[in-house]
Amino acid sequence: MKRILSLFTLCLCLICEAFAVVVPSSQKTRLNEGWEFIRQDMGSVWEVMRPVRAGQPEIVPLWTPVTLPHCFNAEDAVDPDVNYYEGAGWYRTYLDLDNPYPDGRILLEFEGAGQRSEVYVYTTKVGSHIGGYDGWKVDITDAVKAFKQTGVYNSRFKGKIPVAVRCDNLRDVETIPSDMSDFNLYGGLYRYVNLVYTPAVSFERVKITPQTDQKGKKGSLDVAVSFYNPQNVTHERTISVTVKDPNGKIVIEKVQKLGCDADLAHGEALLNSGNADVKRCKMNCDVNVTLISTEIKNIFLWDVDNPQLYTCEVTLEVDGQTIQATDRFGFRHFEFIEKGPFMLNGRRVLLRGTHRHEDHAGLSAALTEELMIKEMKMIKDMGANFIRLGHYQQSDIALRLCDELGILAWEEIPWCRGGLGGEQYKTQARRMLTNMIEQHYNHPSIVLWGMGNENDWPGDFESFDKDAIRAFMKELHDLSHKLDDSRLTAIRRCEFCKDIIDVYSPSIWAGWYSRAFKDYREMSDKGFEGATRFFHAEWGGDSHARRHMEGDFATVSNAAKTGDWSESYIVRLFDWHLKEQETMPNLTGSAFWTFKDFSTPLRPENPVPYVNQKGVVERDLTPKESYYVFQSYWAKEPMVHIYGHTWPVRWGEKGEKKEVLVYSNCPEVELFVNGVSQGKKKRNSPDFPAAGLHWDVVYEEGVNTLRAVGIDKKLRIADEIAQEYQTEKWGKESQIVLSHTPLDNDTVLIQAEIRDAAGVRCLDSQAYVEFSLVGNGKLIQNQGTSIGSRKLQAYNGRAYIKAVKNGKITVCAHILSETGIGASEFITIFASE
């Protein structure tokens, strides 16, 4: 047994490095089920794999069944009382393998795992990877063969193959991204893991290069492949290529035979040219082979309004074994004009953009494909045609959705803040840039490769060398163009590097981190003058969902420090920016920060602790009021939305006029208050706020009904809300009152309401409220949302949380003050309620 294990270890000594490739294969299965997880390090991989006998010491530590994708930090990233976990975690599973290809290869493909990973078959390490966002694979074929020779294969594992993966997200200044980044560096198998079967020779990469002239009159197409051939099979290969247009019509069919000798000769030529990327090609015939280089007439253009996608199918046959790779691509021509706008297929397109982190309530980075589809469709339904994927390579699923929906993309590597490390640091950055470009090259949605973000931000190292940062930025810029000269490079906020890259975004946060939002045009013009190709990435501000305030906010400046973080303020900030951008003829476009609230370790004192609240939807995709502001400017589908759906009680003097805002893209809107028309108004963007759709009305004390009717020719669409109006004044916060509303058989919504000593609701209270529960149930907490956090600031003197009850529960809420716990209240809910 020992001799067999020694041979097992010896035969794997040459394959313990992972390949940074996403495998193009038709034999691919997601490994979502059957995993166990433990959130701690283990003494050795033997501890992970050793047999467990009941009642013996090896039964601990305990493992937990999980489903992939899975993240270490699903909840603790937004737990208000702890630092999120940064350490090791282990996963293990047992695979039933049945490769349909005789003498084929068995691969494990990781679409992304954080942040450093090691893979084991039984106790032998078969691969490793550094980097939390690029895809990579491990060939386990030889390891499986060797393990099958061991006695435990049948006696203990009953013909299954034990696999373990160690991930860690430990702090390390010599890796990217920096822990100073304003987002969590998550740990775990938080993207899909795939089991891939291939023949002895298969595809490593299919590279599709479509080109077209400015008007889309002429097109050309190059298709090249590289092979994965670790056994150096020299048999003849037959490759067929089929290209279909967006309607499914075949426009190209080609079959050709390749001998490995020709491939080796090509690889030798590349080696002689000094191309370091192909130095392993001669060993395994892994070289680029051009299959198609031809012109195409009457092309269909990919456009943000009509994203026409072609399909390329490449089939490889060796010794009667076939494998197929299929990918989609598009023809489009774009240009960032110097000192001018952005052009797509010969016409000006104003880039209407946002940002996205891979983060979600209760899951953190472990988003399913279904959730990504929902999120990206919401972005498109908002009217966006551009997205910056910050600040790292994102799931290929997100890029596929950009292709399908017509959303142009800026994707970047995670060189974010902290400075510049040593050679290990630089090697990782180069590798992640290479992997990002090669893995996402075929996506027509991508127009910009990002080299970094806020690289002027020091802190990780004792010294901060601007010259070294400039030199490395130039190296990355050159590498990007060497790998892909059809796209441009970009960075945001690093003035001393802005002359190096192609497209630059300075930092302009009018009305949030500096000045007032009405200063936006002046600040933008200054940024425009200082860049050859200007794009405005990151603008907006935080808003605490469900918090609303009375007032016009015109004089507020530097609202991050002086403002109330209300939705009332932020809709006006967004509104002003959007109306200004419509009248800036040379603006390429902008991307507000950000589409969805996300967790961050740098903001423990925010209204929802550890959450960056600059999203227009909450962390669970619940829209805030500002989502509809963007729809009113950007969306084509008719819409109408009265501001205040989450504002149940307004306040003021009796008979005082209150401004009502309606956000709509309809040419005309009529407002009714308590059934009485307040008149029709025509939409007019320069008429701030709400493009002229604002009315001053008098509320009645008590409940008022508001109804807005959007008019677009014969079309009528309506929106309606009810708001109470309170004239009674309140004093100091003195008590908290709890109530509950059943949501279903097991879930209740708890409401805490802050009142003064006389019982009057304190409608502007922003006090922190903390919930707790005892009994047979639990709070739905650590979601990072306005109703999913056990500790948060009140919105208009209220705070909500959901609870699951399996019997009698008692919920407590108390006001937190600078001196400690203030007023408290308990409510008991029985199982039958």
Side-chain angles (χ1 to χ4, degrees):
M1 176 68 174
K2 289 183 179 179
R3 186 178 68 85
I4 292 174
L5 286 175
S6 297
L7 289 172
F8 176 39
T9 303
L10 179 63
C11 76
L12 294 172
C13 66
L14 296 178
I15 62 169
C16 287
E17 290 301 319
F19 298 99
V21 172
V22 177
V23 187
S25 172
S26 53
Q27 292 286 342
K28 184 181 295 190
T29 304
R30 283 179 176 168
L31 299 176
N32 294 350
E33 307 297 332
W35 292 86
E36 294 178 293
F37 168 69
I38 189 166
R39 197 173 82 162
Q40 66 174 63
D41 212 348
M42 302 294 284
S44 68
V45 69
W46 170 246
E47 274 197 308
V48 177
M49 292 295 181
R50 68 188 176 190
V52 175
R53 296 170 295 163
Q56 298 301 310
E58 58 267 25
I59 67 171
V60 293
L62 301 177
W63 291 66
T64 303
V66 297
T67 299
L68 301 188
H70 177 268
C71 181
F72 293 2
N73 313 104
E75 290 198 16
D76 72 352
V78 291
D79 188 320
D81 298 325
V82 301
N83 296 319
Y84 82 106
Y85 179 76
E86 294 176 287
W90 285 82
Y91 297 85
R92 67 186 181 192
T93 192
Y94 307 92
L95 301 179
D96 276 316
L97 300 179
D98 185 17
N99 194 339
Y101 300 107
D103 300 319
R105 311 302 296 179
I106 305 169
L107 311 174
L108 290 179
E109 177 188 81
F110 297 82
E111 296 183 15
Q115 296 283 317
R116 289 158 292 274
S117 304
E118 298 171 350
V119 184
Y120 297 82
V121 169
Y122 194 44
T123 57
T124 300
K125 182 178 176 181
V126 293
S128 63
H129 184 75
I130 297 176
Y133 312 104
D134 45 340
W136 50 284
K137 70 180 181 184
V138 176
D139 190 327
I140 64 171
T141 311
D142 296 337
V144 169
K145 288 180 181 177
F147 179 70
K148 286 182 176 181
Q149 299 176 34
T150 67
V152 294
Y153 169 62
N154 283 310
S155 64
R156 180 179 159 206
F157 293 100
K158 310 303 180 185
K160 293 188 177 183
I161 305 300
V163 171
V165 183
R166 180 189 184 273
C167 299
D168 82 66
N169 61 338
L170 289 159
R171 300 174 76 90
D172 183 353
V173 296
E174 285 295 340
T175 61
I176 60 172
S178 167
D179 280 285
M180 294 182 66
S181 301
D182 196 5
F183 56 91
N184 294 83
L185 277 61
Y186 289 128
L189 297 178
Y190 46 62
R191 293 190 193 154
Y192 290 106
V193 177
N194 304 309
L195 174 65
V196 183
Y197 296 127
T198 74
V201 182
S202 60
F203 298 116
E204 180 147 325
R205 182 186 178 201
V206 177
K207 180 181 179 182
I208 306 170
T209 306
Q211 293 181 314
T212 181
D213 62 2
Q214 190 178 44
K215 297 293 181 67
K217 300 296 183 181
K218 297 179 181 179
S220 64
L221 179 65
D222 291 348
V223 178
V225 296
S226 55
F227 300 101
Y228 181 58
N229 183 16
Q231 295 169 277
N232 198 21
V233 174
T234 59
H235 300 174
E236 185 179 69
R237 310 167 195 178
T238 300
I239 300 182
S240 63
V241 183
T242 302
V243 176
K244 300 176 183 178
D245 72 14
N247 297 317
K249 178 183 177 182
I250 295 175
V251 294
I252 296 176
E253 276 189 300
K254 184 177 181 180
V255 179
Q256 64 187 96
K257 295 184 182 294
L258 296 174
C260 195
D261 291 342
D263 299 347
L264 287 172
H266 181 57
E268 188 71 41
L270 289 171
L271 285 169
N272 293 337
S273 71
N275 189 330
D277 295 332
V278 297
K279 287 186 178 178
R280 71 172 186 273
C281 293
K282 189 171 181 179
M283 177 183 69
N284 60 18
C285 298
D286 172 23
V287 295
N288 288 320
V289 177
T290 299
L291 304 179
I292 290 176
S293 183
T294 185
E295 291 186 359
I296 297 183
K297 297 180 180 179
N298 302 317
I299 60 175
F300 295 86
L301 291 175
W302 185 96
D303 194 275
V304 293
D305 296 325
N306 190 17
Q308 300 271 31
L309 291 170
Y310 285 70
T311 302
C312 180
E313 299 171 351
V314 186
T315 303
L316 171 67
E317 181 181 349
V318 180
D319 294 336
Q321 298 181 17
T322 62
I323 188 169
Q324 185 179 83
T326 301
D327 208 350
R328 292 189 296 175
F329 65 95
F331 290 91
R332 85 284 183 272
H333 183 281
F334 74 89
E335 183 180 5
F336 284 83
I337 296 176
E338 292 189 16
K339 298 295 182 181
F342 174 81
M343 306 293 288
L344 181 65
N345 301 329
R347 67 183 178 95
R348 189 213 172 182
V349 171
L350 179 63
L351 298 176
R352 297 181 167 116
T354 185
H355 290 74
R356 177 182 186 268
H357 267 297
E358 291 194 333
D359 186 70
H360 193 82
L363 301 170
S364 292
L367 278 74
T368 62
E369 182 172 5
E370 292 75 17
L371 262 177
M372 283 188 265
I373 291 171
K374 180 180 179 180
E375 181 177 348
M376 296 302 291
K377 284 186 175 179
M378 287 182 69
I379 291 172
K380 188 63 178 182
D381 289 345
M382 183 180 66
N385 61 19
F386 181 89
I387 192 166
R388 178 176 173 226
L389 301 172
H391 296 293
Y392 40 79
Q393 178 179 334
Q394 297 200 2
S395 167
D396 192 71
I397 297 168
L399 271 301
R400 188 198 76 208
L401 290 165
C402 287
D403 296 342
E404 295 173 354
L405 295 169
I407 302 174
L408 292 160
W410 163 346
E411 189 174 35
E412 64 193 34
I413 62 170
W415 185 20
C416 183
R417 296 186 178 179
L420 179 64
E423 193 52 40
Q424 172 187 317
Y425 184 107
K426 295 176 184 178
T427 298
Q428 183 190 354
R430 296 183 195 105
R431 183 178 65 247
M432 294 188 83
L433 177 60
T434 300
N435 294 345
M436 178 178 71
I437 292 175
E438 291 188 347
Q439 291 171 17
H440 288 173
Y441 180 90
N442 293 346
H443 291 289
S445 54
I446 297 176
V447 292
L448 294 173
W449 297 121
M451 303 297 99
N453 178 66
E454 297 181 351
N455 300 101
D456 59 352
W457 197 307
D460 278 340
F461 307 97
E462 188 173 356
S463 62
F464 185 76
D465 189 337
K466 290 184 179 180
D467 290 337
I469 292 173
R470 277 186 57 83
F472 192 58
M473 186 70 73
K474 180 64 165 58
E475 180 183 341
L476 293 179
H477 167 82
D478 291 344
L479 176 59
S480 177
H481 278 286
K482 179 180 178 182
L483 294 168
D484 178 11
D485 205 30
S486 69
R487 295 176 172 101
L488 302 182
T489 62
I491 58 170
R492 181 193 161 271
R493 213 199 95 167
C494 186
E495 288 289 313
F496 61 81
C497 285
K498 68 181 182 181
D499 61 313
I500 296 172
I501 43 75
D502 300 317
V503 178
Y504 180 66
S505 172
S507 183
I508 303 171
W509 287 89
W512 191 249
Y513 291 122
S514 64
R515 300 177 65 176
F517 61 68
K518 290 191 175 182
D519 295 320
Y520 166 64
R521 186 65 170 264
E522 177 189 341
M523 297 170 71
S524 182
D525 287 346
K526 183 178 179 182
F528 180 86
E529 293 168 2
T532 303
R533 298 180 186 87
F534 170 82
F535 180 85
H536 185 192
E538 298 195 24
W539 57 277
D542 290 84
S543 61
H544 188 28
R546 303 172 186 270
R547 177 180 288 171
H548 310 274
M549 292 293 174
E550 304 283 359
D552 63 11
F553 308 98
T555 60
V556 175
S557 63
N558 194 10
K561 293 183 178 179
T562 65
D564 53 32
W565 290 41
S566 69
E567 294 198 65
S568 307
Y569 173 74
I570 209 65
V571 295
R572 288 166 170 83
L573 182 150
F574 284 136
D575 192 348
W576 184 271
H577 281 69
L578 291 170
K579 85 171 185 67
E580 289 295 297
Q581 289 169 5
E582 285 191 344
T583 63
M584 299 166 70
N586 291 320
L587 179 66
T588 57
S590 74
F592 72 88
W593 183 270
T594 178
F595 181 68
K596 181 168 67 171
D597 290 351
F598 64 93
S599 68
T600 168
L602 305 187
R603 300 173 186 262
E605 304 303 323
N606 273 10
V608 178
Y610 293 110
V611 175
N612 186 313
Q613 296 178 251
K614 294 184 177 69
V616 298
V617 301
E618 293 198 66
R619 199 168 174 247
D620 62 356
L621 292 178
T622 300
K624 301 182 188 179
E625 298 287 338
S626 49
Y627 178 86
Y628 303 99
V629 180
F630 283 91
Q631 268 198 334
S632 72
Y633 279 91
W634 290 355
K636 294 182 179 179
E637 188 73 20
M639 54 78 62
V640 62
H641 180 86
I642 303 170
Y643 176 87
H645 278 243
T646 56
W647 194 3
V649 186
R650 295 192 67 168
W651 66 91
E653 302 292 338
K654 184 176 181 179
E656 180 184 358
K657 287 187 175 182
K658 291 293 177 181
E659 186 175 55
V660 174
L661 305 179
V662 178
Y663 287 98
S664 177
N665 56 7
C666 293
E668 191 173 39
V669 173
E670 184 173 10
L671 177 69
F672 298 85
V673 177
N674 298 321
V676 178
S677 176
Q678 306 298 304
K680 296 179 180 178
K681 293 200 174 185
K682 294 188 180 297
R683 191 180 191 280
N684 178 29
S685 291
D687 186 358
F688 177 82
L693 303 178
H694 51 89
W695 289 260
D696 291 329
V697 305
V698 175
Y699 281 72
E700 297 176 0
E701 290 188 72
V703 177
N704 295 261
T705 300
L706 285 72
R707 177 179 171 83
V709 178
I711 304 167
D712 187 356
K713 298 178 182 178
K714 293 183 179 181
L715 178 68
R716 300 291 187 273
I717 55 174
D719 186 38
E720 187 172 310
I721 65 171
Q723 289 182 316
E724 187 179 347
Y725 188 62
Q726 177 177 315
T727 59
E728 195 173 9
K729 305 294 190 298
W730 57 87
K732 183 180 179 182
E733 301 131 326
S734 299
Q735 57 180 307
I736 189 166
V737 177
L738 292 183
S739 61
H740 76 280
T741 304
L743 299 178
D744 55 39
N745 291 335
D746 300 319
T747 308
V748 295
L749 179 68
I750 310 295
Q751 175 179 286
E753 196 170 64
I754 298 171
R755 301 184 180 184
D756 67 8
V760 180
R761 292 173 296 193
C762 303
L763 295 177
D764 65 349
S765 174
Q766 301 179 21
Y768 275 101
V769 175
E770 187 167 38
F771 294 96
S772 58
L773 180 149
V774 294
N776 193 11
K778 64 178 182 179
L779 296 174
I780 301 177
Q781 59 180 337
N782 296 334
Q783 302 297 296
T785 66
S786 63
I787 63 170
S789 303
R790 73 171 180 274
K791 176 185 175 183
L792 76 165
Q793 283 185 11
Y795 22 82
N796 301 114
R798 295 170 295 118
Y800 296 119
I801 196 167
K802 294 179 183 178
V804 176
K805 58 183 178 65
N806 301 312
K808 187 176 81 170
I809 61 172
T810 299
V811 178
C812 173
H814 54 258
I815 301 173
L816 299 176
S817 65
E818 293 181 0
T819 58
I821 297 176
S824 298
E825 177 73 7
F826 296 87
I827 186 172
T828 298
I829 305 169
F830 294 90
S832 58
E833 294 185 59

